[in-house]
Each structure stands twice: as C-alpha cells, then as structure tokens.
Amino acid sequence: MGESEDDVVVSDDGRRLRPVKSLLRALDVLTALARSERPLTLGEIVEQTDFSRTAAYNVLATYELRGLVRRDDQGRYELGWGLFELGERARSRSDLTDVARPVVEDLAESTGETVLLGVLDQGSVIYVEKAESRRSIRMVEAPGRRLPLHESATGLVLLAHAGTTLRDRYLEQQDSRSGLTQRVATILATGVAVSVQDLDPDLSSASVPVHGPDDHVLAALTVAGPASRLTRERVEEFLPALVASAASISKAVGGRTHP
C-alpha cells in the first residue's frame, strides 16, 4: 500500500517521517501536564486529550511506573522527577550549554539585561540557557520554554538560518504575517534580529546566531528586556557585546567567529 500524506510529517531537516500515532497521542498527556500550572485530575486530562477515561488512566499508570508522572496526596497528576533526570542527561551531553553558560552570565552582568540562549527544535524555539536581569522587571522566558519561531527575535534568527525546507515551509504557513519573509531576508543580510516593540509592545530584544562546525547555526544568543528601558539606541549600544559573546561561544564549539 502507498504512503498516505496524512501519515507523513516532515522534520526540520526535510526528512519524511511516519510517527507512531498511538505514541503521539500518549505524549499528549505529558504535554497537557506540562502546560498546566497545577496538578490535573484524571477527568481534566481526559477533557484535554480526548482519551477515554480507561485509556488515560493506563497511559498515566505507565508513565508513573517510569517516574515520568507522579500523583499528589489528592490523587491529581503532575510531571515526575524522571523527566527532570532525562532532561539533565540531555543537557549534560551538550557541549553548547556548558560553554555558553558563563558567557551568558557575563553578558547579563555587563548589559544589566536578561540573556537567553535558544535552539531550534521541531519547528519552534526552545530556551536552553538564561541569565536573569538583576533589575526589577524580569523576563518570563526560562530554560525549557518553547515558543513559535515568529514570536521572538531568537526564533527569527533560528528561522533565518534554518534549512531551506523548514524555512520555506514555515514562511508559507505564516504568509499572512506581513513582512516576515522580508524580515528573514534582512536578518540573513545583517546577521542580527532586532525587535523594538514590534513583536511584543512591552519588549525589546536583539539576537544573533551562534555558529558550529561547517557554519551550521547551533543556537541564537539574545539580550532582551522591557521596552521602557531598552530603546532602539540602548539596543544598538550593546550589539557589539552581543556579537562578541556569540563569537566566543562559536569559537569554543568549533564554529566560525565572524558575524
């Protein structure tokens, strides 16, 4: 039998994948728990995942056995420490985060603003490092948070430097967003994404790529803060330090260091 297009998912690097649908549905349970600010009852999980009550219970029980889910004293479900263990193992195997951490911290100290390191994952940006501003207004982004690529300067840098298959597909899907294609072209030409209240009326940010071997962009390094403090002039002031910090990380992981 031929491959149904409904069964195919195109990966970030253009490969055609056929995921196990039942496994994807089971992972929806973890997604529901991750998005909730509080533990969920079995009934709430059923409502959010469209599982039957029995199927949802069986999935949760399986996760509980592996430590991926736990129950509180009221019988509600929340993410388990097993996920933290897996996340830390993934993090510990990345030279990028080890190298970037002190650079991110130093840049936050010198600029007085929040510094973020984000990577491309499954067509979105996920933050893997953060150094918080010591000033009164802080950023809500944190390691592990995932956002659409078009919603942040970090994501726009990653989109601009993504493979052509992913980039073209993403731009086609978001073609109703005025100027996104032109913005990506500008980032490729200038090497930096600057947002002053245009992506978020309360936020300003600037982001540059971190290059790995073979000129591959591994991540995007970003300085961000409230627009009331980060005017366009202020952003321009710290751009050299941002570019230099990204180059420092790039050099440490074997990538090129010029903008």
Side-chain angles (χ1 to χ4, degrees):
M1 293 180 63
E3 185 182 70
S4 170
E5 288 299 315
D6 292 337
D7 296 331
V8 174
V9 176
V10 180
S11 67
D12 288 351
D13 59 4
R15 289 177 298 138
R16 294 167 61 85
L17 308 177
R18 297 189 66 188
V20 179
K21 291 184 177 180
S22 59
L23 181 55
L24 284 179
R25 289 201 64 214
L27 291 173
D28 286 343
V29 172
L30 293 180
T31 300
L33 292 173
R35 289 176 176 170
S36 177
E37 297 295 328
R38 58 175 177 77
L40 298 177
T41 65
L42 177 60
E44 289 171 328
I45 293 170
V46 168
E47 290 177 2
Q48 295 187 33
T49 61
D50 291 329
F51 271 111
S52 69
R53 194 174 184 86
T54 299
Y57 178 82
N58 289 338
V59 169
L60 287 162
T62 302
Y63 286 149
E64 191 175 358
L65 286 172
R66 291 292 188 177
L68 306 182
V69 163
R70 58 181 177 173
R71 286 195 295 175
D72 64 13
D73 54 9
Q74 299 181 44
R76 299 173 302 180
Y77 294 90
E78 58 188 346
L79 297 178
W81 289 111
L83 288 170
F84 179 81
E85 179 184 9
L86 292 174
E88 282 300 297
R89 287 183 179 239
R91 182 186 177 97
S92 68
R93 292 173 183 174
S94 170
D95 293 336
L96 175 64
T97 55
D98 287 342
V99 167
R101 192 172 302 115
V103 178
V104 167
E105 292 172 352
D106 287 347
L107 185 59
E109 183 67 27
S110 65
T111 62
E113 302 298 345
T114 297
V115 177
L116 301 154
L117 186 73
V119 298
L120 177 67
D121 184 69
Q122 297 298 312
S124 58
V125 55
I126 185 167
Y127 293 102
V128 295
E129 284 292 342
K130 175 185 181 182
E132 187 69 83
S133 166
R134 294 185 178 181
R135 302 190 183 187
S136 57
I137 302 176
R138 297 190 171 189
M139 300 283 296
V140 297
E141 280 82 359
R145 189 180 184 199
R146 186 184 296 271
L147 287 174
L149 294 173
H150 60 270
E151 291 187 2
S152 69
T154 309
L156 288 174
V157 166
L158 295 172
L159 175 61
H161 293 278
T164 54
T165 299
L166 170 62
R167 185 171 66 240
D168 292 348
R169 186 174 73 246
Y170 197 95
L171 291 174
E172 182 180 355
Q173 292 171 346
Q174 301 293 334
D175 60 3
S176 62
R177 296 184 178 275
S178 176
L180 182 57
T181 298
Q182 180 57 49
R183 186 158 196 166
V184 165
T186 300
I187 293 168
L188 288 172
T190 63
V192 59
V194 175
S195 169
V196 179
Q197 295 183 282
D198 50 345
L199 295 175
D200 184 324
D202 300 318
L203 179 68
S204 295
S205 59
S207 184
V208 296
V210 173
H211 294 269
D214 301 322
D215 208 28
H216 175 65
V217 171
L218 298 178
L221 185 65
T222 305
V223 175
S228 59
R229 193 163 65 220
L230 287 189
T231 61
R232 184 168 294 276
E233 292 74 19
R234 176 73 182 107
V235 172
E236 293 290 338
E237 286 178 10
F238 66 64
L239 271 180
L242 174 60
V243 171
S245 296
S248 176
I249 299 172
S250 296
K251 182 178 180 180
V253 296
R256 69 180 176 93
T257 60
H258 57 278

